[in-house]
Amino acid sequence: MRRPDTIVYWQNEAPPARIAVVLALQQVAFLGALLVIPSVFAHQHEIEHEAFLNIVSATLMCSAVSLLLQVMNRWQIGSGYYYPMQVTSATLPAMYLASQSAGGLAASYGMVVVIAATQFLFSLLIPRLRSVFTVEVAGLAVLLVGVALAELGLHLIFEGQRGADTEPKAFLLAGITFFTMVACNVWSKSALRLFATLAGLAVGALAGWQLGLLDPQEQAQLASVPWFRLPALPSYGWQFEPGAILPYSVTGLFLSLASMGTQTIAQQVADADWVRPDLPAYGRGLRAESLTHLLVALLNAAPLSSSGGGVTQAAASGSTSRYLAYWVAGAFLLFAFLPKLIFVWLLLPDAVMGGLLLFLSAFTMLSGMQLIGSRLLDNRRVLAVGTGLAFALSFPALQAGLGQLWPSVTTQVLFSGFAGGMLAALVLTALFRIGMKRRAQRVFRIGDVHPEDIAAFMEHQGRLWGARRDVVQRAELTCWQAFDLLVQGGLVQAEPGEVVLETRFDDYSLAVSFRYRGTLPALTDAPPTAEELIDDPAAQPRLTGYLIGRLGRARTRMTGQWCVLQLAFAA
């Protein structure tokens, strides 16, 4: 791993306490503001005020436990990266379906065990998905996380999470919040850059108060809420509802796919040399989420999803330190017993949150686009990624169309554009692997070969395999140098005068072999001196052999009457 230039506090570096406290408050301000989602659920089900406070306190406790499990990374549980979990509206459809059964709200929370089981089973399958969850699919996941953040942000600005009509002042408030963060992040040369999002939230909250956008009813309710309160958990108990197994299983699958996207962001922002997903870490992270959802069911908390926005916010602040998780978890546990601070979160205008999400989405979407663009893509991969992106962006039309054909199935299965797009990309990637070969060979006659021929062959194979662009370009250069060494050095017999170029790719390395009849080249670990290059005719081939060994791991061998020159490149 190598520290990215934009990161001030890296993976295992503990920020000073004064910095860590503000960074933690910044994370808590963002993640806590999303508690408006369970307030919508409470309003729909006419949940009493005391029960709502119990649900929110339990949710904060579960969020804290999740963070600790992730960064401690013990007993094959936890990814080892900082990535928090947040309340998500993606779980509300399944919660609504279960609450309509005879079990009521007890079934809504009891069935969260199905989400936990689904995530645990998926965590066991992830290490086997190396050939399906490719870098470009990971890039699509990151891109869709960014799109989802932007979509939610615009929804909050134009409509509001609470369904209220948006005033013209809300557009101004969102702009104030957004450009405050931009100014701190782009133009600030001081430590203020670390706290850009917190500054934006603070300025936005103050501007919202000045513009009269704070809900008067919630302000009045804030005065009656006590400072300290011990929650009574669980609020409703548990009940198993067999009819809700399918929607909760699908929800668990979708949350697992969202976790893969979030963990990709966490891995990428922590390593400047990141080239592919660490699938075992994905599995460990999902097992931590699975245990978290068992606790969610036990305490009757709101189901949680991995927070791509939280990871992006930490990276934009210049901190990927796992020690930040301890501070954030401590703040969550403290605030779980301070209901007055919980209501302060709920007072935050929707437009302020919308401006924040719009700010974070820009970083996330561009990261996903860079990941997709880092690979050479053939038509199969273009179709898989492109179709997944089309499904995600056209989700409302897709949901409406399928809802007319299969209403009951659509109600229980199609919950989010992110999950639909990712599922389409994964299925198509697996399908298109049929007939794909990991080995290829081509025969070149020494008198008829030009550099463009070898470059075209290598680029075609690189697109087929989805190899990194820089690796393929280095392989093209090295292969031509090797071919030129064999031909110009007279190492290939005139008859038959052919060189067989064989390639093999396995996601971690690109291997190229030259097989011919003739003489093995001399590969040296040290270049010839300047004097030798002037006086010794054999020095030039030695220099070429040295450069080939530097560009790719090279070795030679005899196989019967065949000479073999092998080159290997880390992919």
Side-chain angles (χ1 to χ4, degrees):
M1 293 180 66
R2 182 168 62 88
R3 179 205 296 266
D5 295 336
T6 57
I7 298 302
V8 180
Y9 300 106
W10 201 22
Q11 195 80 350
N12 294 311
E13 297 175 352
R18 67 183 186 280
I19 301 293
V21 168
V22 184
L23 288 175
L25 288 176
Q26 184 169 250
Q27 286 282 317
V28 169
F30 165 63
L31 297 169
L34 293 173
L35 291 175
V36 69
I37 294 174
S39 74
V40 174
F41 181 76
H43 177 74
Q44 291 286 338
H45 289 79
E46 299 181 350
I47 294 176
E48 296 179 357
H49 176 67
E50 293 295 317
F52 170 69
L53 288 179
N54 290 336
I55 293 171
V56 172
S57 295
T59 302
L60 292 175
M61 294 177 186
C62 293
S63 299
V65 170
S66 171
L67 273 169
L68 296 176
L69 288 174
Q70 292 294 353
V71 297
M72 290 173 65
N73 190 16
R74 302 287 179 84
W75 309 294
Q76 293 298 304
I77 297 172
S79 65
Y81 294 90
Y82 173 80
Y83 84 90
M85 297 185 73
Q86 67 181 44
V87 184
T88 174
S89 59
T91 61
L92 293 183
M95 299 284 285
Y96 287 140
L97 285 172
S99 66
Q100 294 169 3
S101 67
L105 289 172
S108 289
Y109 297 111
M111 291 299 292
V112 175
V113 172
V114 176
I115 294 179
T118 303
Q119 289 187 304
F120 180 79
L121 292 175
F122 196 78
S123 74
L124 302 179
L125 295 176
I126 282 182
R128 302 177 181 274
L129 297 179
R130 187 178 75 180
S131 60
V132 176
F133 196 78
T134 57
V135 172
E136 63 272 12
V137 173
L140 175 64
V142 175
L143 175 61
L144 293 183
V145 169
V147 170
L149 290 175
E151 184 179 15
L152 178 57
L154 293 173
H155 171 76
L156 290 174
I157 294 171
F158 286 95
E159 299 178 24
Q161 186 69 46
R162 300 169 179 83
D165 293 334
T166 302
E167 300 182 27
K169 295 178 182 178
F171 306 142
L172 175 62
L173 180 57
I176 291 173
T177 304
F178 179 81
F179 285 107
T180 299
M181 297 176 189
V182 170
C184 294
N185 187 269
V186 176
W187 292 300
S188 174
K189 303 298 182 182
S190 64
L192 186 60
R193 176 180 169 274
L194 291 170
F195 316 122
T197 55
L198 183 61
L201 289 173
V203 171
L206 181 61
W209 175 62
Q210 291 290 333
L211 292 171
L213 293 178
L214 301 185
D215 191 328
Q217 183 178 356
E218 290 182 349
Q219 291 185 66
Q221 193 175 20
L222 176 64
S224 63
V225 175
W227 276 101
F228 181 82
R229 176 181 177 274
L230 287 174
L233 304 175
S235 300
Y236 296 95
W238 321 276
Q239 185 165 328
F240 193 79
E241 178 58 42
I245 291 178
L246 177 60
Y248 273 84
S249 298
V250 173
T251 301
L253 174 61
F254 288 179
L255 294 182
S256 299
L257 295 175
S259 176
M260 296 173 78
T262 301
Q263 291 195 62
T264 301
I265 301 173
Q267 293 179 15
Q268 184 196 18
V269 299
D271 184 8
D273 292 329
W274 188 90
V275 293
R276 68 179 58 83
D278 181 0
L279 296 185
Y282 284 0
R284 296 193 304 270
L286 262 181
R287 284 191 283 276
E289 293 188 31
S290 173
L291 289 179
T292 300
H293 275 117
L294 284 178
L295 186 62
V296 164
L298 179 66
L299 300 182
N300 284 184
L304 301 167
S305 173
S306 58
S307 177
V311 175
T312 305
Q313 179 177 246
S317 302
S319 173
T320 58
S321 171
R322 62 187 183 89
Y323 291 98
L324 178 61
Y326 296 103
W327 290 91
V328 177
F332 277 152
L333 290 175
L334 176 63
F335 291 171
F337 301 96
L338 302 175
K340 192 176 285 290
L341 292 182
I342 292 174
F343 267 80
V344 169
W345 274 323
L346 299 179
L347 280 173
L348 194 67
D350 291 333
V352 174
M353 279 298 298
L356 169 61
L357 292 173
L358 204 59
F359 174 79
L360 297 177
S361 69
F363 293 92
T364 310
M365 285 190 289
L366 189 60
S367 295
M369 293 167 63
Q370 288 173 336
L371 282 178
I372 296 173
S374 69
R375 298 285 168 156
L376 292 172
L377 305 177
D378 68 338
N379 289 341
R380 302 184 188 206
R381 295 174 184 270
V382 169
L383 284 170
V385 174
T387 303
L389 181 60
F391 274 30
L393 298 182
S394 307
F395 179 72
L398 177 67
Q399 189 179 42
L402 293 179
Q404 296 178 358
L405 297 175
W406 303 289
S408 59
V409 175
T410 304
T411 302
Q412 299 189 51
V413 173
L414 287 181
F415 293 158
S416 74
F418 172 87
M422 282 299 299
L423 201 57
L426 289 170
V427 170
L428 288 177
T429 299
L431 179 65
F432 290 156
R433 284 186 56 79
I434 299 175
M436 183 183 296
K437 297 180 180 179
R438 289 292 177 176
R439 297 173 179 267
Q441 73 174 31
R442 182 173 171 183
V443 178
F444 293 93
R445 294 195 59 82
I446 59 175
D448 303 328
V449 182
H450 299 279
E452 295 80 5
D453 299 328
I454 292 180
F457 173 69
M458 294 301 301
E459 186 164 342
H460 172 74
Q461 295 303 126
R463 291 183 183 279
L464 186 63
W465 297 325
R468 284 164 49 201
R469 188 178 302 275
D470 60 323
V471 171
V472 174
Q473 290 174 342
R474 188 167 72 251
E476 290 175 7
L477 173 62
T478 309
C479 286
W480 174 250
Q481 292 285 344
F483 191 87
D484 188 61
L485 172 64
L486 299 179
V487 175
Q488 299 300 325
L491 303 180
V492 181
Q493 291 182 359
E495 290 295 334
E498 295 178 344
V499 177
V500 180
L501 185 60
E502 298 178 344
T503 56
R504 178 172 51 84
F505 186 74
D506 65 357
D507 294 325
Y508 290 92
S509 64
L510 171 62
V512 182
S513 297
F514 293 84
R515 188 161 50 88
Y516 60 95
R517 296 181 185 272
T519 307
L520 290 174
L523 302 178
T524 62
D525 296 329
T529 64
E531 291 78 9
E532 289 175 329
L533 285 171
I534 295 174
D535 300 330
D536 186 2
Q540 183 64 41
R542 285 172 49 205
L543 177 61
T544 304
Y546 167 75
L547 293 175
I548 290 172
R550 295 286 293 177
L551 291 170
R553 297 188 302 274
R555 62 191 182 95
T556 59
R557 73 173 192 273
M558 292 294 300
T559 303
Q561 297 180 345
W562 293 94
C563 298
V564 179
L565 168 61
Q566 290 184 318
L567 303 173
F569 307 89

